Amino acid sequence: MIILFLNCGSSSVRYSVYDWARKESLAAGLVERVTMPGTAITHERPGKDKVSFEKECKDHTEAVKLVVDTLINKEYGVINDVKLISAVGHRIVHGGKFAKSVLVDDAVMKELKEISDLAPLHNPAHIMGIEAAQKIIPGVKNICIMDTAFHQTMPDHVFMYALPYEWYTDLKVRRYGFHGSSVLYCAKRAAVLLGKKSNEVNVIVCHIGNGASITAVKEGKCFDTSMGLTPLEGLVMGTRSGDIDPAIPFYVMSKTGVSPDDMYNTLNKGSGVLAVSGKSADRRDVELAAEAGDQRCQLAVDMESYRIKKYIGAYAAALGRVDAVVWTAGVGERGPVIREKALRDLEYMGLEYDHDKNFSALTKNAESEITAPNSKVKSFVIPTDEEIVGVEDIVAILENRYDVHTKYTYIFEDKNYRNKLRDELFAKEIAKKPFLLKAAVNVPENIKNLVK
């Protein structure tokens, strides 16, 4: 069973192809500058050279066609016939009321269009992607993987805002949360590493990338999360402001004449680490500049890590008991500086941070523990795998055995689950950097033997 997975942005189409029978990724890539001059595709396959070339795509239909044509290309494709694709999955940033992945039909499309205003930067592009797939691969089943679905277990006193109640009933204003597939994967993998069932653990999952969120997972279910109606609320992010006094935009607009649209754009694309540092949203660049003495970059690092620490403390109080703090996504997986500053001095809650382990966890290909052996609360670095969550949801829907995650067991909840490609890449890494094994956990013996 071959699954094509699409993540459509306003001017881009990310894709991946997964072979369920072999349990491995066949290819992944990105079409950039869709609707603009200079459209280009980058196509990657495990163990083979990257393929890149330009081809104009005036809309998402042409972009999806480019993806399909690339996948069946005789020279660098990975399948022989488009008919081998069993289903097309679509990552939907804002899934509104949907509590699980769903097969696309007229009712689903109607609902997605009705909630487009809740995610104007994302959902319209997702809808175009679905319509493009329906046109380019007629008859294939399309399935939506909702980024908000995991968070639908939040109680009302957590997801509600202290605003006029009619805004909730009439306008659907409430906290929805995002990064749901990533949090689901990491929470369930943390349970495996703890030797427990997912409904037995309380974990705090820090998904720290350009977009960043923290989620409090209680007994395997979302209890609270930092992002809200939109992905703007919560942490200091790459270009998003996160939590601010809501009066600030009104004050600045009254003083400067900035329009509401420009203010919205500034809060989403011109704030966060980029604005504070004055240099970049890339934490690697900012940390290097801070180390060299740039005070604004140091301020950006301090602000981001402090906001994370504050949320960890708040969610520890909300959960009552914490079994683990999990780090994932680009910065979470490969940002030891941010992790260290956020985890220091948490001994009061039973978490004893280990500096050497933290700075040994410099890989995106291995699960690692970065706390001391006697730490009552563990901290893990877990490379996220949103693809396997989406693919398994799709396969289960096609086979009529799917249900909400609280009633469904994923293949990666098995303690013996392995990611073949990730193991191969990690083996190559430790052959050159044996120190990576210091923090890594759940490593096969054949990989450990590489350093002996």
Side-chain angles (χ1 to χ4, degrees), residues 11-14 29-42 52-57 63 66:
S11 61
S12 66
V13 175
R14 292 186 181 276
L30 170 66
V31 183
E32 298 180 277
R33 297 182 63 81
V34 179
T35 75
M36 296 181 284
T39 309
I41 186 170
T42 301
S52 299
F53 59 90
E54 290 190 6
K55 182 175 176 57
E56 295 299 315
C57 295
L66 175 59

Side-chain angles (χ1 to χ4, degrees), residues 71-83:
L71 296 178
I72 62 175
N73 183 279
K74 291 183 179 180
E75 181 182 352
Y76 44 76
V78 292
I79 57 176
N80 297 323
D81 192 329
V82 69
K83 293 179 181 178

